[in-house]
Every structure is written in C-alpha cells, then in structure tokens.
Amino acid sequence: MTANESGGKLTRNEAFYTVEMDGNTLLYRPTSQNAVHLDSVASLIWKMCDGTRTAEELAGELAEIYPESANTVKSDVLETVEMLLQSGAISAGGA
C-alpha cells in the first residue's frame, strides 16, 4: 500500500527506539535490526504521525509551514511517508 492509496491516519510504530541529534533522527528497531535515518524534515514528518493526520493532511500542514517550498512539499511528504511505511516505522490506520 502506498502513501497515496492508504488515505488512513498515520501512526508511529512505538517499537522503534529514537535517537535525535542536530535535528536528525535515527529510528532503530532491535527485533529486526532495522535502522532508518531521517533528516530534519523527515524527522518532523515522523513526529507528526500521531494518528490524527493522513499523508495529504501532513502535506497541507507542511506547505503552510514551508510556503517557499509549497510546490514540492506534497511529493516530498508522500515520498517520506512511503519510505516510513515500507520500513514499518509508521502504519496507516482507518480514515
């Protein structure tokens, strides 16, 4: 399922440990030895996946935060959400 197809509210997988440094975040899941590095924007997206927003809603909010990048925000958010979904770091629940 892709970020576009899910349409569900995005929720962090709390099985991942997080380490933050200089605006970046390292997500690590010991049971799978899976690690994911997030830059500052991807870290913000991860933090916003609290079960209250869809990928589209995230993109809308971030376009307001970063108006100078509004033209690319949606594709960047969807790409990041897709990566987080594939890594198991987030899930998309019911809409």
Side-chain angles (χ1 to χ4, degrees):
M1 179 180 306
T2 68
N4 271 334
E5 294 169 343
S6 72
K9 305 290 183 179
L10 302 171
T11 306
R12 290 181 301 272
N13 181 342
E14 298 299 332
F16 279 78
Y17 292 101
T18 61
V19 177
E20 294 184 39
M21 188 176 355
D22 298 327
N24 295 315
T25 302
L26 179 67
L27 306 176
Y28 177 70
R29 186 172 184 182
T31 57
S32 67
Q33 297 183 350
N34 185 20
V36 180
H37 174 262
L38 306 176
D39 64 18
S40 60
V41 175
S43 295
L44 178 58
I45 293 168
W46 156 262
K47 290 173 185 172
M48 293 175 75
C49 292
D50 60 2
T52 65
R53 301 170 185 90
T54 65
E56 291 287 330
E57 292 166 338
L58 276 173
E61 287 184 37
L62 288 171
E64 290 178 13
I65 294 170
Y66 300 104
E68 69 282 357
S69 301
N71 292 337
T72 60
V73 165
K74 183 176 179 179
S75 63
D76 292 346
V77 168
L78 293 178
E79 183 179 314
T80 300
V81 166
E82 181 66 26
M83 180 271 300
L84 291 169
L85 286 166
Q86 288 181 3
S87 70
I90 63 172
S91 61

